[in-house]
Amino acid sequence: VISSPEERGNMIGRGFLLLILFISVCAQLVHGENLATTTTTTITGQLRLPDNSILNTTQIFLNDGEKISYTRPDGSFSFYNVGPGVHLLDVQSHKFLFSQVKIQLLPGSMDSPKCMEYSFPGAPKIAASYPLNLTAHAKYDYFQKRQGFSVFSIFKNPMILMVAFSGVLMFMMPKLMEGMDDEQKEQMQKQMEMQKDPTKMLSQMWSDISGSAEEPVEPAKKKSKARRTKRD
């Protein structure tokens, strides 16, 4: 039982404040739903091959995997609930090279984004139409075609060249020695013997450089044997 008019006025004021608070909360909820529906959109596009052949299911990244999508049998794809901002679309194909696309979504024009296409990272940007229509630029080639057998490839081997050079020397050496005199032949034989023993060759080179080559000492004749023969 309300005893006085003042208490009645307080109760009416409190009820009025509660009504205003309830109405403001409902308005905020409705505004938030409308804002959520208007600030997201769907990005659509299609992948194609140059010869219009069927493309296998391909994975597509948005913002380095923040959102992931897959192509349908006709090559089309979609990203749902994409908010405003600048987004990077990258095709994860191991067989074909596709362009990267930067997509700019503005809150006031979510249904008409601005798209810039890059053939490869660092390439000049090109304006792209929307919905996206990306065609493969090239096909990856991970293997090199094996070359067939060639006779000339044998002569590229250093071992074959060394054997051939040695054979030519063995064939030409006798003919070269035919025109030499005995002294030149003897000198060449000494050089060949020195080449077999590296120490002798180095000592000979050092003696030639220093000019202190020892002259060969002739063996001393045994005079005793000569005297005996005369006595006899």
Side-chain angles (χ1 to χ4, degrees):
V1 179
I2 300 174
S3 59
S4 63
E6 293 180 357
E7 293 180 356
R8 291 180 182 178
N10 292 333
M11 293 292 293
I12 294 172
R14 290 176 183 175
F16 185 71
L17 290 174
L18 291 173
L19 180 62
I20 293 174
L21 180 62
F22 178 76
I23 293 172
S24 63
V25 170
C26 292
Q28 288 179 0
L29 291 174
V30 173
H31 179 71
E33 291 179 357
N34 294 332
L35 185 64
T37 56
T38 55
T39 54
T40 60
T41 186
T42 301
I43 296 176
T44 59
Q46 188 176 14
L47 302 183
R48 293 183 178 180
L49 297 179
D51 56 357
N52 293 326
S53 59
I54 298 175
L55 178 66
N56 295 331
T57 302
T58 306
Q59 191 179 48
I60 306 173
F61 281 0
L62 192 66
N63 298 334
D64 294 331
E66 182 180 342
K67 289 182 178 293
I68 301 175
S69 180
Y70 293 89
T71 57
R72 303 182 183 92
D74 60 348
S76 61
F77 61 90
S78 300
F79 287 97
Y80 301 98
N81 300 325
V82 181
V86 178
H87 307 279
L88 178 64
L89 187 143
D90 192 6
V91 180
Q92 303 295 314
S93 177
H94 299 289
K95 292 184 178 181
F96 301 96
L97 174 64
F98 288 91
S99 299
Q100 290 183 337
V101 182
K102 281 187 178 181
I103 305 170
Q104 184 179 12
L105 296 174
L106 300 176
S109 58
M110 296 291 288
D111 295 333
S112 57
K114 297 179 180 180
C115 303
M116 303 302 295
E117 181 179 354
Y118 298 84
S119 301
F120 54 89
K125 59 184 179 180
I126 303 172
S129 60
Y130 186 82
L132 299 174
N133 191 356
L134 304 178
T135 304
H137 297 292
K139 184 177 180 180
Y140 293 118
D141 190 4
Y142 297 98
F143 302 96
Q144 186 176 3
K145 188 177 180 181
R146 186 174 182 179
Q147 297 181 355
F149 176 76
S150 177
V151 179
F152 297 100
S153 62
I154 298 176
F155 297 99
K156 296 180 181 179
N157 191 338
M159 297 300 295
I160 299 297
L161 294 176
M162 292 175 63
V163 172
F165 182 71
S166 301
V168 172
L169 287 179
M170 292 175 64
F171 178 76
M172 296 295 294
M173 189 62 69
K175 295 185 177 181
L176 292 174
M177 294 182 68
E178 289 178 357
M180 294 181 180
D181 53 9
D182 296 337
E183 293 181 359
Q184 290 178 347
K185 290 181 181 180
E186 185 178 357
Q187 187 177 2
M188 184 174 289
Q189 289 177 358
K190 289 181 179 180
Q191 290 179 357
M192 292 176 66
E193 289 178 358
M194 288 181 181
Q195 288 178 1
K196 294 179 181 178
D197 190 356
T199 56
K200 291 182 180 180
M201 184 175 64
L202 292 174
S203 61
Q204 182 65 28
M205 290 175 61
W206 175 254
S207 63
D208 292 340
I209 293 172
S210 61
S212 61
E214 296 180 357
E215 296 181 357
V217 179
E218 296 181 357
K221 297 181 180 179
K222 295 182 179 180
K223 298 181 179 180
S224 60
K225 292 184 179 180
R227 290 176 181 178
R228 289 179 184 177
T229 53
K230 288 180 179 180
R231 290 179 182 178
D232 294 338

